[in-house]
Amino acid sequence: MLKGKLSFDTSRLKIGAEALEKLFKPKAPPLVGADLSSSAVKMVELADAGKGLYRVERYAIEPLPKESIVDGNINNLDAVSDAIKRCHKRLGSSVKNLALALPNAAVISKKILVPAGQSEEDLEVQVETEANQYIPFSLDEVNLDFQVLGPAPNNPDDVEVLIAASRKEKIEDRVAAAESAGLKATVIDVDLYAAQTAFELMGIGTAEEDRDQNIAMVDIGATTMTVNVLRNGQSIYLREQPFGGNELTQEVQNKFGLSAEEAEAAKRDGGLPDEYESELLQPFVDKMGLEIARALHFFFSSTPYNQVNEIVLSGGCAAIPGVEAAITRRTQVQTVIANPFANMEISPKVRAKDLAQDAPSLMIACGLAMRRFDP
């Protein structure tokens, strides 16, 4: 487990089914990070390159049939399992252990203060007692985990602990999808924390002069825009709103008479008529900037802060040419495109140009792949 981050540490999951308990043992390398988004399965495998560096061994992206996953919930287990199997085959890896993630909305989290110096057993008992106050389900129905964040800000006699819980069926669905594909879910993380792990690899906001700056991680996928504002490595604001690349796909379908698959391929590979850029793409990018500006306004109005120092854009929409300049103009905040692999070596098996194009949409998969290097 990475210091200061919470994920579902498999050695402490409270799982009733014996078969699941056997799956959730302390993690061991090697491991493939597998992000199950609403539009695709994305896999990343990393290796230790020595001297504190990492190497991208391989990656793959496999589209999902429409509505296979909606709002983070697996609606069509067979379709998701088949896509996982195809993606793993495309990856070309012999590694069958997967790190998967739960969507943020499926996890209830809360920071609590507890007396310092407790044994792990006493801490577990206290966490379960505290969790009963915040979780609207019986503890028998959830998987519960916690992470000690460090000394309490205003009281050295206490420590700050982050607790989190998720309904068992949310994890069981992902385990079943992996098993049906002939693979093994050995780590369950959370989208938010996996993305933050990948963000840390970029080194943004880590210099001493960057202390106390607010950095907005903005992820725009197929259906949802997530804004996570970080300050000194900690999340201070999180908002999700319905907006994503599917809106542009639908516009392309309607205007040019294409299927959803054809429209998605045309967006990615080009070949659309000249009016696509002026009549569809540019208005969509403008709306994207407006949605981000709106989200930042909510941040300013609901926190003590009135400034964001930088926007880091990820997700499939971040691959649109010139989008960072458009968002900078709209928000008046410097915007950069996320690339968690920028400081990594790249295996000869990986095409660097393709990886650079796909990098913004691989943040969660990359963060999950980093679980291989947990202590």
Side-chain angles (χ1 to χ4, degrees):
M1 182 179 294
L2 298 177
K3 184 178 179 182
K5 296 290 186 294
L6 180 140
S7 58
F8 285 91
D9 182 346
T10 57
S11 65
R12 286 205 299 262
L13 280 174
K14 311 301 188 285
I15 300 175
E18 184 177 346
L20 283 178
E21 286 179 352
K22 291 178 181 178
L23 281 171
F24 288 99
K25 292 180 179 178
K27 46 203 172 292
L31 190 67
V32 170
D35 173 24
L36 309 183
S37 74
S38 62
S39 61
V41 176
K42 306 159 194 174
M43 292 187 179
V44 170
E45 184 179 349
L46 303 177
D48 188 343
K51 299 181 180 179
L53 298 175
Y54 304 104
R55 182 174 61 251
V56 184
E57 285 295 298
R58 46 181 69 86
Y59 82 98
I61 300 175
E62 181 66 30
L64 272 170
K66 193 174 181 180
E67 297 187 350
S68 298
I69 296 179
V70 178
D71 296 331
N73 298 312
I74 296 178
N75 279 354
N76 187 331
L77 186 64
D78 289 341
V80 173
S81 178
D82 288 346
I84 291 173
K85 190 171 185 177
R86 291 194 305 272
C87 191
H88 190 260
K89 183 177 181 180
R90 180 175 292 185
L91 187 72
S93 173
S94 61
V95 176
K96 294 193 173 184
N97 294 331
L98 300 183
L100 300 170
L102 293 169
N104 306 326
V107 181
I108 301 169
S109 60
K110 180 74 176 177
K111 288 182 182 178
I112 62 172
L113 298 180
V114 301
Q118 296 189 64
S119 68
E120 179 144 346
E121 290 76 15
D122 290 342
L123 187 57
E124 283 194 20
V125 172
Q126 184 157 1
V127 164
E128 289 196 10
T129 302
E130 293 279 350
N132 270 318
Q133 301 178 43
Y134 304 110
I135 298 170
F137 313 109
S138 164
L139 290 187
D140 292 337
E141 299 176 26
V142 302
N143 295 331
L144 176 67
D145 194 22
F146 66 91
Q147 169 70 43
V148 177
L149 300 179
N154 302 316
N155 188 350
D157 295 329
D158 290 338
V159 292
E160 195 172 40
V161 176
L162 182 61
I163 60 176
S166 179
R167 297 291 294 268
K168 286 182 177 179
E169 62 262 26
K170 302 294 184 183
I171 288 181
E172 290 167 352
D173 283 351
R174 281 159 171 74
V175 171
E179 283 190 332
S180 296
L183 305 171
K184 189 174 184 179
T186 57
V187 174
I188 300 292
D189 208 319
V190 183
D191 280 356
L192 180 69
Y193 305 122
Q196 284 184 213
T197 297
F199 171 80
E200 290 173 1
L201 294 170
M202 293 184 281
I204 295 174
T206 57
E208 186 57 36
E209 59 266 27
D210 296 331
R211 184 167 179 78
D212 295 334
Q213 289 198 346
N214 298 327
I215 311 295
M217 290 176 56
V218 179
D219 182 275
I220 306 179
T223 60
T224 304
M225 182 176 86
T226 303
V227 178
N228 181 22
V229 182
L230 303 176
R231 184 179 178 88
N232 301 327
Q234 295 291 322
S235 176
I236 59 172
Y237 178 81
L238 180 66
R239 176 181 173 83
E240 292 186 347
Q241 56 195 61
F243 173 78
N246 280 358
E247 288 192 20
L248 180 58
T249 303
Q250 188 66 53
E251 292 282 348
V252 172
Q253 286 181 251
N254 294 341
K255 185 167 183 64
F256 302 115
L258 302 176
S259 68
E261 292 76 15
E262 290 169 338
E264 201 62 52
K267 279 168 50 183
R268 183 178 61 250
D269 303 329
L272 287 167
D274 293 341
E275 63 266 30
Y276 163 67
E277 188 165 330
S278 61
E279 296 183 17
L280 299 184
L281 183 60
Q282 195 54 53
F284 176 78
V285 171
D286 289 342
K287 185 177 181 183
M288 191 189 310
L290 188 63
E291 291 288 340
I292 294 173
R294 181 167 163 254
L296 295 184
H297 174 74
F298 280 114
F299 167 63
F300 299 143
S301 63
S302 59
T303 71
Y305 307 105
N306 58 11
Q307 183 180 15
V308 162
N309 301 92
E310 190 169 21
I311 294 170
V312 180
L313 190 65
S314 63
C317 290
I320 297 173
V323 69
E324 66 268 41
I327 291 173
T328 298
R329 284 195 304 272
R330 168 65 74 170
T331 62
Q332 297 299 298
V333 178
Q334 178 185 344
T335 302
V336 298
I337 303 301
N339 183 355
F341 311 112
N343 300 318
M344 294 188 189
E345 295 181 5
I346 300 175
S347 163
K349 298 186 286 288
V350 175
R351 293 180 60 183
K353 184 178 178 181
D354 290 345
L355 180 63
Q357 175 78 6
D358 293 327
S361 65
L362 294 170
M363 289 284 284
I364 292 173
C366 175
L368 292 172
M370 286 295 295
R371 291 299 299 271
R372 173 177 185 170
F373 308 107
D374 281 6

